[in-house]
Amino acid sequence: MYAQMIESSGTSNRDEMTPEEAAFQDRIDAGEKIEPRDWMPDGYRETLIRQIGQHAHSEIVGQLPEGNWITRAPTLERKLILLAKVQDEAGHGLYLYCAAETLGVSRDDLTERLLDGRMKYSSIFNYPTLTWADIGAVGWLVDQAAIMNQVPLQRCSYGPYSRAMIRICKEESFHQRQGFDIMIKMARGTGEQKRMAQDALNRFWYPALMMFGPPDGDSVHSARSMAWRIKMNTNDELRQKFVDDVVPQAEFLGLTIPDGTLAWNEERGHHDFADPDWSEFHDVLRGNGPCNRERLEARRKAWDEGRWVREGMLAHARKKETAKIAAE
Ligand code: 3HC
């Protein structure tokens, strides 16, 4: 599939490359890391800004559905763990904004692009977290899907992004485990708790599958991004890997994946499963998911109300810089 996509997009056609582009592609093919001061094609830079920026926004917006439960976590211990997790997500967003800044775009610019609709964040965060079991399902499924996508990105070609991924993946593994731990408690709890766990799985299953992006045939960026090693796997490859990993976990929990067609396919060595409703995915991307407006409104409010903090900190930094120059 990958070879087919590359061929059809013509990205590996060296005849069409300038000598600089060909030398750049050689470095990528040899597994070298590209660093911020290295020459890079404009398209490579723009693709990275789009992907890293979108990823950073996802980490920050992803705090909202979980933050919603900090004051309602069932025990003090669960509350502390959730607080730590939400703080981790803020940290991930900041590493990623820093990685994007090395490409010559400012954090302010990225945020403005998000707020005026030029940039996206992950579709998954437009779904609400209605019960405590949803916090378990988010950790178990959403963080697991994120890890599935991000572990390969530790080997991506852009140095600052790949290094940010190493740290982020370590923390995401903890997040996945805390989600699974909540699911174990709920699935083995009272009848009502088990019902909540099943309901959370029912609502998050298809949105989690959508996180990997559209089917390969509809993925506009995969071929170029994979040739540049900005993306290491196709959307469908990762989605399949996710399903194969999650099925035995659901069995362990005694929960049922809400897909009547789900079955092990001996010949393929993988599970067959039903596609999500792709019209719903595109509708969410157009801004019509259950929580799109609420999420963007929260980001806009934080951006507007935080202006005085940003300005104060900048003024302080400038004052320190001026004093340092004067002392030299
Ligand atoms: N949500 C929102 N938009 C999505 C999407 C999703 N789940 N999947 C695809 N899209 C968008 C793409 O951005 C693109 O739109 P654009 O041209 O306006 O940017 C369009 O749909 C076509 O999709 P493609 O497959 O061609 O796009 P990509 O090649 O960029 O692949 C991706 C999409 C797999 C998400 C890729 O960008 C990627 O690997 N990104 C890095 C990882 C990332 O962003 N993860 C966010 C997950 S959440 C998270 O990490 C938080 C954690 O705390 C849980």
Side-chain angles (χ1 to χ4, degrees), residues 55-288:
H55 192 165
H57 297 323
S58 303
E59 301 282 356
I60 299 297
V61 176
Q63 294 178 98
L64 297 170
E66 298 194 306
N68 175 36
W69 276 92
I70 289 173
T71 55
R72 294 179 287 163
T75 66
L76 178 62
E77 194 189 9
R78 292 286 184 200
K79 188 188 185 103
L80 289 171
I81 295 170
L82 185 59
L83 257 175
K85 180 181 185 229
V86 173
Q87 282 177 346
D88 284 352
E89 307 297 5
H92 298 173
L94 299 186
Y95 307 148
L96 288 164
Y97 284 129
C98 287
E101 281 176 318
T102 64
L103 293 155
V105 63
S106 72
R107 197 176 303 188
D108 287 11
D109 187 13
L110 289 171
T111 307
E112 275 152 21
R113 290 193 211 184
L114 170 74
L115 297 180
D116 68 20
R118 279 176 294 156
M119 282 188 98
K120 298 184 167 77
Y121 57 89
S122 182
S123 50
I124 189 73
F125 301 121
N126 293 305
Y127 291 85
T129 43
L130 304 176
T131 70
W132 175 250
D134 288 9
I135 297 301
V138 166
W140 172 36
L141 300 174
V142 174
D143 287 282
Q144 187 156 331
I147 294 167
M148 196 81 41
N149 169 283
Q150 291 169 25
V151 164
L153 290 177
Q154 296 178 122
R155 294 178 285 108
C156 78
S157 62
Y158 190 55
Y161 191 30
S162 72
R163 291 189 285 273
M165 279 300 120
I166 293 170
R167 171 106 183 241
I168 290 176
C169 284
K170 283 189 183 142
E171 293 177 351
E172 294 293 5
S173 304
F174 153 71
H175 297 173
Q176 191 273 345
R177 276 159 184 262
Q178 70 84 38
F180 196 63
D181 187 59
I182 293 176
M183 292 308 276
I184 292 177
K185 273 275 174 341
M186 300 294 286
R188 296 188 181 161
T190 63
E192 178 61 8
Q193 284 173 313
K194 184 162 183 186
R195 195 194 60 73
M196 284 164 70
Q198 181 63 54
D199 176 57
L201 171 57
N202 292 349
R203 282 180 293 104
F204 276 93
W205 176 249
Y206 287 105
L209 294 187
M210 292 176 197
M211 285 178 72
F212 297 96
D216 288 352
D218 298 334
S219 169
V220 285
H221 300 296
S222 283
R224 272 204 86 85
S225 294
M226 289 178 70
W228 277 327
R229 293 173 67 87
I230 288 172
K231 201 169 163 175
M232 307 299 286
N233 303 86
T234 74
N235 300 351
D236 286 337
E237 276 169 11
L238 292 177
R239 196 171 3 255
Q240 178 72 66
K241 190 164 164 29
F242 174 78
V243 172
D244 289 341
D245 280 12
V246 169
V247 168
Q249 295 167 0
E251 275 164 14
F252 177 82
L253 290 171
L255 299 177
T256 308
I257 291 178
D259 174 358
T261 70
L262 189 76
W264 177 253
N265 183 325
E266 196 62 51
E267 218 170 284
R268 291 201 308 120
H270 291 292
H271 291 87
D272 290 336
F273 60 97
D275 259 344
D277 174 356
W278 290 115
S279 64
E280 176 182 321
F281 170 75
H282 290 295
D283 210 33
V284 170
L285 260 54
R286 279 193 292 270
N288 301 322

